[in-house]
Amino acid sequence: MPIRQMNSADIPAVLKIQGELSFQEWNERQFEQEIKAPYTYAVVYENEGDIVGYAVFHLLGADSELLSIAVRETVQRSGIGGKLLQSGLSQLDLEKSDCCFLEVRENNLKARRFYENHGFTLFGIRKRYYADGENAALYRTENRSDIDPSQKGV
Ligand SMILES: CC(C)(COP(=O)(O)OP(=O)(O)OC[C@H]1O[C@@H](n2cnc3c(N)ncnc32)[C@H](O)[C@@H]1OP(=O)(O)O)[C@@H](O)C(=O)NCCC(=O)NCCS
């Protein structure tokens, strides 16, 4: 499985992906703090020695959240994002978290389609949530304890 836990040595590659996609501005210290936190599930996708994607979740029971996910543009749409997402959702099941929330820029239609295709449902819009005034679209999974076990991880 090319997905493994993120460690400090991965952060430069993760920052490079973030910089290439310019969708978020976490710095090295923030990633360091995230990977040390006991409630964080942070993973990278490694392809022949290259880090091509990552995801960061907070596993906090009913307040679990996907904080960040990204895949290098050159390898997008080949299922890597879906595998990273599934990995976090499987961990959520292990920890018996019922639900996973996330927020995404309202105009990030690519990511919104991705989340909708992976079982997330829009439940609200938070007006002017981002510093530049853009709205956030709020998504959540169904209550995961209600999902047929054969459908989990989708
Ligand atoms: C969102 C993201 C992580 C998806 O990663 P991915 O590896 O391409 O995802 P997958 O290959 O598993 O799934 C692709 C699905 O995403 C959606 N998608 C991806 N690119 C899309 C595009 N250009 N237009 C519309 N939908 C798109 C589709 O639902 C697509 O499924 P399909 O190919 O069957 O139509 C990736 O596009 C990305 O890194 N985006 C930039 C960072 C970002 O916006 N992150 C989310 C905010 S935190």
Side-chain angles (χ1 to χ4, degrees), residues 10 18 27 32 41 61 67 78 96-97 114 126 133 141 145 153:
D10 300 321
Q18 185 189 248
N27 60 32
E32 283 285 4
Y41 178 75
L67 275 92
S78 59
K96 308 214 183 307
S97 296
F114 168 75
R126 193 167 285 153
T141 55
S145 54

Side-chain angles (χ1 to χ4, degrees), residues 21 23-24 67-71 75-83 104 108-111 113-115 117-118:
L21 297 166
F23 74 104
Q24 176 185 257
L67 275 92
S68 184
I69 185 166
V71 173
V75 290
Q76 283 180 9
R77 274 196 130 154
S78 59
I80 294 172
K83 286 182 187 144
V104 58
N108 189 349
L109 298 181
K110 191 158 107 173
R113 288 299 86 75
F114 168 75
Y115 295 133
N117 286 349
H118 286 88

Side-chain angles (χ1 to χ4, degrees), residues 6-116:
M6 188 189 297
N7 59 53
S8 293
D10 300 321
I11 294 176
V14 165
L15 288 171
K16 194 166 162 218
I17 297 174
Q18 185 189 248
E20 279 172 8
L21 297 166
S22 52
F23 74 104
Q24 176 185 257
E25 287 169 8
W26 282 11
N27 60 32
E28 185 173 356
R29 204 165 135 255
Q30 282 167 299
F31 276 107
E32 283 285 4
Q33 281 171 348
E34 282 300 333
I35 62 180
K36 282 187 196 137
Y39 47 80
T40 296
Y41 178 75
V43 283
V44 293
Y45 191 104
E46 194 166 358
N47 192 7
E48 295 175 359
D50 283 338
I51 308 285
V52 294
Y54 69 90
V56 180
F57 291 78
H58 281 177
L59 303 180
L60 292 166
D63 292 324
S64 291
E65 193 177 355
L66 169 59
L67 275 92
S68 184
I69 185 166
V71 173
R72 285 195 80 172
E73 197 144 29
T74 48
V75 290
Q76 283 180 9
R77 274 196 130 154
S78 59
I80 294 172
K83 286 182 187 144
L84 285 162
L85 190 58
Q86 262 185 36
S87 163
L89 294 179
S90 301
Q91 197 63 29
L92 237 100
D93 289 338
L94 286 177
E95 309 240 337
K96 308 214 183 307
S97 296
D98 276 349
C99 186
C100 184
F101 292 88
L102 65 84
E103 70 234 354
V104 58
R105 284 178 177 268
E106 192 176 28
N107 74 0
N108 189 349
L109 298 181
K110 191 158 107 173
R112 291 182 63 182
R113 288 299 86 75
F114 168 75
Y115 295 133
E116 286 161 11

